[in-house]
């Protein structure tokens, strides 16, 4: 074979090899398809998972907005020998007792109307003219026409009976209930029986007046061993009296010794033919309220019973409209008032400092509920919640919830409307029992899982008991069950944004400047060391950061607050000093030692200024904050000038620098352009010092002017100092967020094509001008994404906030106060929340709110990022 043939064959084989390399192997195609399928399936699964989480949250939250459900009703006509004056029912809705005016206590089976027992209390021929009972309705006081007050017990006793010990001779009432000798046996889930029986007993008699008692209220306090009975009466002559009975029980014999003291109160001061329609006594007997048919409520101040006084006369209804019913809600901070026009209102007794009352308090209308169709005849409060039931003259029976301002249930009587009635809510809040004086009783059973929650409660201002105005409050639990739960999510949403805001204030400038510095100005070897170290910071567990913030940083900041405030200015100044020192070096030396020596110089300069700040912190506190920064924040000493001086200093410097550049920029550049590097650096440093001095003078002058016109930052974004506050949260959360923002932003800056930098530098731009006007706008979409990723991390952060924020759900921008975020609130309260309870579902609503917030923020961020990307694409 000739050489030419050999060369030809070699070329053909090479060409064939090149052709083979142009085709893709089947295995590669299969791998690509498999990878594409896996990625597609994975993406779809992520979407399905996110949608599944949202659906689950909606399913848990949806019952909060569900209405009540009626389960049934009963109606019976009882054989009562005289008009019914009182009714009570047990919490299981099994038994009910009605008391007639002749003393007959008839107990019947509520579902069937079967009489269980009948006892007669001896009233000695006196006629009942007034009656009142305790919140539980088992202790009753009765006023009589002879001026006496008798006390009785009309309750129920519940015991457990094992199935093996069940007596014989039982008769069936229903499939569930059986009766025997005044007892009702109800099978429970364990197979044993709950045994219910009535307790009816007439206790003591007190002679209060020589006239008939026309209005009466009754309270019991003290301890079980030494109960204190307090009651207030109004007799036919309009005399108001308050009586207190101390009962001493002999624990050995069970004998009771009762000591009663009665005090006559000053005259009511009724106008014309105005008549008393009702009386209320507070549980600790510190006030008495009298209602009248003239539309007024009269309030006595009984804090000093020996010097009782008429504290207030308050009109609560229009002229000529009678107050027909009133009662306290649980905790007795709210007074419910009903009128003959059907108005239903709630009043709070607030400390307003008014001079029109003797104690500086006054009744203020806080809520106006939906009106009844006719005149209100009776109001009865629930035992364990802020619900109450109202009846009117047309037989309407409505159940209200005071806090949520809604009518939960609307029922109507089916019997004669002319008879007087009274209603009660069963102890578990799942039914209403109504009794007419004719012996007719009606009962309704219903369920309302979450009556205290509405959209207004969750996201609107509510006027809560004990507050002077409507506010956003989160307080799901309290020291007593009598307090109304407060479920406003607004303070938690506010706390979430507040924590993220202060964290981003610290994190964004540091992270972006660090990304620009390492991307555009440092040696590659420095970048190769700094970036991995920054990324390692992200691996620190947030619970460790929260622990450090709570136990180390928070006490340290509190002790060295002056040094911390000075550090905000000392650290940037240290960086500037390092930069000016580097500028004073000869050009050859600067080029030779560019890299780690330059980086080290900057670090040492910052550390030196930080050390100086730590030494001058006490001096700063003495000079600017009158020696005690925490006292200064409360407004007790000093003025707002010092802090406004510090706040305005950066802005003043930028204004001063901008004015200098506008007026003398060209001349200054011409001046230093002919100087060598070292001299130009010293001149520039002198310019910076001069501008800084002018800025300080300007800042203090503006701060003093603001103080002169009356502005003081204290009470707004500056207020009383708490150890665990937003400043500490901002510090430590910024430390957690900076690595995320820095890494993503630095990658975005490095992805900018090199020819853009080269073109800018070739046109005579400085590296800083190139970074500012070319690199940063080109990488804007990536930088913006980095910032939004950091914000998402800050919004969802939990452990740092739980440990370092103080967990106070308050709404104020004060950087020195605590906060509570949505995520922290879920972490704190969900482990203790009762499954499917109101607090449990509201916490899931908080999770759903956080989910929606992050979704909206990320969606908006993506839209903005796409706009940045389109602008950069043309480059």
């Amino acid at each position: 074979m000739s050489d030419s043939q050999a060369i030809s064959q070699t070329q053909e084989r090479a060409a064939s090899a090149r052709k083979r390399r142009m085709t893709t192997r089947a295995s590669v195609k299969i791998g690509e398809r498999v990878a594409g399928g896996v990625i597609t399936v994975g993406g779809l699964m992520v979407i399905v998972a996110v949608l599944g989480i949202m659906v689950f949250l909606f399913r848990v939250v949806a019952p909060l907005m569900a209405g009540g459900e009626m389960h049934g009703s009963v109606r019976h006509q009882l054989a009562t020998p005289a008009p019914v004056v009182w009714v009570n029912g047990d919490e299981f809705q099994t038994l009910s007792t009605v008391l007639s005016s002749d003393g007959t206590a008839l107990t019947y089976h509520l579902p069937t109307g079967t009489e269980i027992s009948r006892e007669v209390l001896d009233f000695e021929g006196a006629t009942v003219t007034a009656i009142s009972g305790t919140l539980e309705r088992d202790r009753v006081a009765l006023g009589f026409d002879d001026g006496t007050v008798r006390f009785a017990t009309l309750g129920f006793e519940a015991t457990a009976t094992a199935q093996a010990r069940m007596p014989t001779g039982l008769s069936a009432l229903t499939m569930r209930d059986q009766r025997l000798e005044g007892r009702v046996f109800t099978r429970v889930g364990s197979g044993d029986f709950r045994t219910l029986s009535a307790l009816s007993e007439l206790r003591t008699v007190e002679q209060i007046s020589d006239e008939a008692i026309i209005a009466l209220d009754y309270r019991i306090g003290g301890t079980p061993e030494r109960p204190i009975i307090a009651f207030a009466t109004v007799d036919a002559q309009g005399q108001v009296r308050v009586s207190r009975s101390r009962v001493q029980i002999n624990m050995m014999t069970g004998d009771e010794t009762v000591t009663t003291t009665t005090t006559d109160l000053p005259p009511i001061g009724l106008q014309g033919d105005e008549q008393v329609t009702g009386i209320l006594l507070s549980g600790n007997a510190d006030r008495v309220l009298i209602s009248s048919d003239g539309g007024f409520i009269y309030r006595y101040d009984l804090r000093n019973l020996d010097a009782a006084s008429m504290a207030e006369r308050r009109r609560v209804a229009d002229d000529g409209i009678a107050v027909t019913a009133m009662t306290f809600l649980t905790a007795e901070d709210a007074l419910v008032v009903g009128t003959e026009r059907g108005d239903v209102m709630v009043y709070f007794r607030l400390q307003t400092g008014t001079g029109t009352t003797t104690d500086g308090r006054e009744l203020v209308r806080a809520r106006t509920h939906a009106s009844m169709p006719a005149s209100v005849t009776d109001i009865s409060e629930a035992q364990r919640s802020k619900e109450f039931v109202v009846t009117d003259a047309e037989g309407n029976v409505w159940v209200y919830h005071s806090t949520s301002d809604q009518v939960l249930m609307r029922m109507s009587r089916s019997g004669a409307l002319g008879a007087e009635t009274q209603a009660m809510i069963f102890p578990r809040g799942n039914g209403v029992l109504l009794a007419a004086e004719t012996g007719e009783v009606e009962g309704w059973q219903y369920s309302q899982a979450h009556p205290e929650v509405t959209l207004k409660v969750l996201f609107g201002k509510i006027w809560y008991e004990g507050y002077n105005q409507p506010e956003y409050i989160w307080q799901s639990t309290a020291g007593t069950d009598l307090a109304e739960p407060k479920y406003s999510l607004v303070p938690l949403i506010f706390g979430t944004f507040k924590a993220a805001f202060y964290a981003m204030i610290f994190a964004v400038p540091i992270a972006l400047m660090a990304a620009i510095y390492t991307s555009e100005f440092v040696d590659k070897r420095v970048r190769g060391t700094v970036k991995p170290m920054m990324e390692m910071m992200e691996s620190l567990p947030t619970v460790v950061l929260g622990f450090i913030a709570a136990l180390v940083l928070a006490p340290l900041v509190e002790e060295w607050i002056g040094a911390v405030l000075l550090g905000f200015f000392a650290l940037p100044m240290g960086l500037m000093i390092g930069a000016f020192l580097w500028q004073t070096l000869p050009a050859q030396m600067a080029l030779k030692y560019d890299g780690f020596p330059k980086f080290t110089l900057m670090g040492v300069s910052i550390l030196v200024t930080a050390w100086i700040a730590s030494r001058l912190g006490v001096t700063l506190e003495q000079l600017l904050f009158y020696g005690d920064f925490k006292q200064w924040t409360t407004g007790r000493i000093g003025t707002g000038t010092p802090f406004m001086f510090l706040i305005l200093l950066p802005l003043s410097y930028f204004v001063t620098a901008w004015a200098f550049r506008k007026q003398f920029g060209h001349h200054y550049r011409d001046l230093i352009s002919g100087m060598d590097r070292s001299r130009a650096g010293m001149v520039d440093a002198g310019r910076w010092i001069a501008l800084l001095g002018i800025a300080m003078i300007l800042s203090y002058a503006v701060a003093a002017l603001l103080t002169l016109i009356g502005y003081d930052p204290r009470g707004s974004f500056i207020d009383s100092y708490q150890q665990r506050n937003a400043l500490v949260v901002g510090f430590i959360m910024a430390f957690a967020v900076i690595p995320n923002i820095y890494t993503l932003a630095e990658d975005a800056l490095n992805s900018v094509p090199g020819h853009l930098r080269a073109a800018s530098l070739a046109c005579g731009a400085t590296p800083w001008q190139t970074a500012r006007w070319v690199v940063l706008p080109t990488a804007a979409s990536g930088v913006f994404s980095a910032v939004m990723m950091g914000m998402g991390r800050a919004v969802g952060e939990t452990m740092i906030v739980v440990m370092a924020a103080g967990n106070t759900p308050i709404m104020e921008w004060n950087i020195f106060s605590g906060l509570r975020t949505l995520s922290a609130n879920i972490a704190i309260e969900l482990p203790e929340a009762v499954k499917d309870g109101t607090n449990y579902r509201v916490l899931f609503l908080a999770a759903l709110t956080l989910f929606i917030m992050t979704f909206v923020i990320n969606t908006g961020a993506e839209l903005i990022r796409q706009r940045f990307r389109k602008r950069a694409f043309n480059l």
Side-chain angles (χ1 to χ4, degrees):
M1 181 181 297
S2 63
D3 293 340
S4 61
Q5 291 176 336
I7 292 172
S8 177
Q9 291 178 358
T10 302
Q11 291 175 346
E12 290 177 358
R13 286 196 295 270
S16 177
R18 285 196 295 273
K19 290 180 180 179
R20 286 196 299 270
R21 286 196 296 270
M22 291 295 292
T23 61
T24 303
R25 294 194 300 270
S27 60
V28 175
K29 292 181 180 180
I30 294 173
E32 289 179 350
R33 292 177 180 175
V34 171
V38 170
I39 293 172
T40 302
V41 172
L44 292 175
M45 290 180 65
V46 170
I47 295 174
V48 170
V50 172
L51 292 176
I53 293 172
M54 180 170 277
V55 169
F56 172 73
L57 292 175
F58 270 113
R59 288 192 61 184
V60 177
V61 170
L64 284 175
M65 300 297 117
E69 181 180 357
M70 184 68 68
H71 297 298
S73 62
V74 295
R75 179 173 176 268
H76 308 295
Q77 179 62 54
L78 305 180
T80 54
V84 172
V85 295
W86 191 252
V87 63
N88 191 17
D90 77 286
E91 63 177 320
F92 307 107
Q93 300 188 28
T94 302
L95 294 181
S96 173
T97 297
V98 294
L99 178 67
S100 302
S101 59
D102 65 345
T104 301
L106 188 154
T107 301
Y108 67 98
H109 184 240
L110 185 57
T112 63
T114 304
E115 182 175 325
I116 302 299
S117 63
R118 182 187 293 256
E119 293 189 22
V120 178
L121 308 180
D122 186 8
F123 292 162
E124 300 178 354
T127 301
V128 177
T129 54
I131 189 168
S132 177
T134 59
L135 179 64
E136 294 77 15
R137 302 185 69 89
D138 58 342
R139 303 288 293 273
V140 180
L142 301 105
F144 293 88
D145 57 355
D146 61 359
T148 60
V149 174
R150 289 171 168 82
F151 302 95
T153 299
L154 296 173
F156 305 94
E157 182 180 23
T159 59
T161 304
Q163 186 172 10
R165 298 184 178 180
M166 284 288 290
T168 58
L170 298 171
S171 58
L173 293 169
T174 62
M175 295 181 61
R176 187 190 66 165
D177 300 334
Q178 303 176 68
R179 60 170 293 191
L180 177 66
E181 298 176 352
R183 294 176 294 171
V184 173
F185 299 84
T186 303
R187 184 182 295 274
V188 294
S190 63
D192 295 331
F193 288 83
R194 178 177 60 244
T195 305
L196 281 174
S197 59
L199 297 175
S200 303
E201 179 185 2
L202 189 63
R203 302 175 69 86
T204 57
V205 181
E206 299 290 344
Q207 185 70 46
I208 301 300
S209 172
D210 295 331
E211 303 290 337
I213 304 298
I214 62 172
L216 169 67
D217 197 28
Y218 177 45
R219 295 289 186 269
I220 294 181
T223 63
E225 297 80 15
R226 294 186 177 181
I228 298 177
I229 299 174
F231 57 97
T233 60
V234 180
D235 63 20
Q237 295 298 320
Q239 178 63 55
V240 183
R241 295 181 176 87
V242 174
S243 303
R244 292 180 178 177
S245 298
R246 294 183 177 273
V247 182
Q248 292 184 342
I249 302 176
N250 189 315
M251 303 302 293
M252 300 295 293
T253 63
D255 295 336
E256 295 183 357
T257 302
V258 180
T259 304
T260 302
T261 58
T262 300
T263 303
D264 291 354
L265 300 186
I268 303 174
L270 299 174
Q271 305 296 316
D273 58 353
E274 188 178 8
Q275 299 295 319
V276 172
T277 59
I279 185 171
L280 275 180
L281 174 68
S282 62
N284 53 6
D286 66 341
R287 63 190 186 275
V288 165
L289 289 88
I290 306 290
S291 63
S292 74
D293 59 3
F296 288 94
I297 287 183
Y298 299 83
R299 180 171 62 86
Y300 285 95
D301 181 6
L302 306 183
R303 290 175 297 174
N304 182 1
L305 195 57
D306 295 331
S309 62
M310 176 62 70
E312 179 182 9
R313 178 176 180 261
R314 174 68 59 186
R315 175 173 287 282
V316 297
D318 293 339
D319 189 21
I321 304 299
V323 177
T324 53
M326 64 178 179
T327 188
F328 287 124
L329 295 182
T330 56
E332 299 183 349
D333 289 324
L335 172 70
V336 185
V337 176
T339 70
E340 66 175 348
R341 193 171 57 186
D343 301 321
V344 179
M345 303 162 288
V346 174
Y347 282 81
F348 295 163
R349 184 176 63 107
L350 301 178
Q351 184 72 53
T352 60
T354 178
T356 60
T357 63
T358 60
D359 57 357
R361 296 175 179 267
E362 59 181 325
L363 292 173
V364 178
R365 184 186 298 187
R367 299 168 188 151
T368 301
H369 295 296
S371 298
M372 296 292 291
S375 174
V376 174
T377 59
D378 182 68
I379 302 176
S380 179
E381 73 274 28
Q383 298 181 21
R384 304 171 186 174
S385 66
K386 299 302 178 179
E387 298 174 20
F388 58 94
V389 58
V390 181
T391 59
D392 70 7
E394 294 182 355
N396 297 291
V397 182
W398 289 7
V399 179
Y400 291 80
H401 193 281
S402 178
T403 305
S404 60
D405 190 12
Q406 59 178 330
V407 180
L408 304 179
M409 289 290 168
R410 287 180 167 90
M411 292 86 70
S412 297
R413 287 187 57 203
S414 57
L417 300 182
E420 292 186 7
T421 61
Q422 60 174 283
M424 63 162 286
I425 297 178
F426 285 103
R428 295 187 177 183
N430 58 352
V432 169
L433 180 62
L434 181 142
E437 63 178 352
T438 58
E440 180 187 34
V441 294
E442 290 188 69
W444 296 269
Q445 188 180 59
Y446 57 84
S447 62
Q448 182 77 26
H450 311 288
E452 60 271 68
V453 174
T454 62
L455 287 177
K456 183 179 179 181
V457 169
L458 295 170
F459 300 105
K461 284 188 175 182
I462 300 296
W463 199 339
Y464 293 105
E465 296 175 3
Y467 290 82
N468 289 327
Q469 60 187 3
E471 293 186 28
Y472 300 108
I473 304 292
W474 172 273
Q475 187 182 3
S476 59
T477 57
T480 172
D481 292 336
L482 300 179
E484 55 187 342
K486 306 168 183 66
Y487 289 120
S488 177
L489 294 180
V490 176
L492 307 180
I493 297 173
F494 178 87
T496 301
F497 282 115
K498 179 181 177 180
F501 173 76
Y502 284 118
M504 297 302 284
I505 282 181
F506 297 132
V508 171
I510 296 174
L512 293 187
M513 291 301 174
I516 294 172
Y517 183 66
T518 55
S519 172
E520 306 299 322
F521 296 99
V522 301
D523 187 85
K524 292 183 178 180
R525 293 171 297 173
V526 177
R527 177 178 178 272
T529 303
V530 172
K531 187 174 182 181
M533 292 179 62
M534 292 286 288
E535 291 173 344
M536 287 178 61
M537 290 170 52
E538 198 168 6
S539 64
L540 289 174
T542 56
V543 65
V544 175
L545 296 178
F547 179 83
I548 294 173
L551 299 184
V552 179
L553 186 60
L556 191 65
V557 169
E558 182 182 24
E559 184 177 357
W560 295 89
I561 183 63
V564 171
L565 294 177
L566 189 58
F568 286 116
F569 303 92
L571 298 183
M573 289 180 64
L575 184 61
M576 295 295 294
I577 291 171
F580 284 122
L581 289 176
W582 185 260
Q583 281 188 343
T584 60
L585 295 178
Q588 295 295 329
M589 183 177 295
L591 290 174
K592 181 179 180 180
Y593 294 106
D594 191 21
F596 274 108
K598 179 180 178 181
F599 191 77
T600 303
L601 174 64
M602 300 299 175
V604 170
S605 177
I606 292 174
L607 290 176
V608 170
T609 53
W611 179 81
I612 295 174
S614 68
R615 307 302 298 177
L616 296 178
V618 176
T619 304
L620 175 74
E621 197 168 350
Q622 291 286 344
L623 290 176
L624 297 184
F625 301 109
Y626 308 89
D628 192 334
F629 179 79
K630 289 193 289 185
Q631 284 291 321
W632 176 86
T633 59
T634 63
R636 298 173 183 171
I637 58 175
T639 66
T641 303
F643 200 86
M644 289 307 300
F645 162 70
L646 297 178
I647 292 293
L648 295 173
L649 184 56
L651 178 62
S652 300
Y653 178 80
F654 285 125
V655 171
T656 305
W658 174 83
F660 177 84
R661 185 171 65 252
K662 283 293 183 181
Q663 294 295 325
F664 308 106
H666 294 291
H667 302 290
Y668 179 73
R669 284 192 294 271
D670 293 340
L671 176 65
I672 65 174
S673 60
M675 299 180 183
D676 59 38
R677 175 185 172 87
S678 298
R679 187 179 179 186
M682 289 186 288
V683 171
D684 201 34
R687 178 192 65 88
W688 175 70
I689 294 173
L691 291 179
L692 183 60
I694 296 172
M696 293 176 69
I697 296 173
L698 177 63
S699 177
Y700 193 86
V702 175
L705 179 62
L706 291 174
T707 301
L708 187 63
I709 64 177
Y711 176 75
D712 195 327
R714 294 173 295 181
S716 56
F717 64 95
I718 300 299
D719 212 327
S720 58
Y721 188 93
Q722 301 173 18
Q723 186 184 77
R724 299 186 181 184
N725 52 51
L727 179 65
V728 175
V729 172
F731 280 155
I732 206 69
M733 196 182 292
F735 186 86
V737 169
I738 283 173
N740 198 356
I741 300 177
Y742 167 81
T743 300
L744 296 175
E746 210 270 348
D747 289 341
L749 293 170
N750 274 316
S751 65
V752 174
H755 67 270
L756 296 179
R757 292 185 180 87
S760 176
L761 295 172
C763 291
T766 65
W768 170 244
Q769 291 172 331
T770 300
R772 181 181 177 184
W773 299 111
V774 176
V775 177
L776 191 59
T778 306
S781 63
V783 172
F784 183 77
S785 296
V787 173
M788 297 311 297
M789 289 287 289
M791 184 176 179
R793 168 78 183 275
V795 167
E797 179 54 50
T798 303
M799 293 311 300
I800 292 176
V801 183
V802 167
M803 303 181 73
N807 293 315
T808 50
I810 55 179
M811 293 186 63
E812 57 182 37
W813 281 108
N814 178 18
I815 194 172
F816 300 120
S817 68
L819 53 92
R820 180 181 287 194
T821 65
L822 288 165
S823 57
N825 190 67
I826 295 168
I828 292 169
E829 298 198 11
L830 190 59
E832 304 297 329
V834 178
K835 188 177 184 299
D836 296 333
T838 300
N839 191 29
Y840 177 87
R841 296 191 187 278
V842 172
L843 291 174
F844 272 87
L845 178 61
L848 180 61
T849 303
L850 184 60
F851 188 98
I852 294 173
M853 285 171 51
T854 54
F855 179 79
V856 171
I857 291 173
N858 290 336
T859 301
E862 180 62 19
L863 294 175
I864 298 174
R865 190 186 71 85
Q866 290 295 338
R867 294 191 62 182
F868 282 137
R869 190 174 183 182
K870 288 179 181 179
R871 290 174 54 187
F873 183 75
N874 295 326
L875 299 175

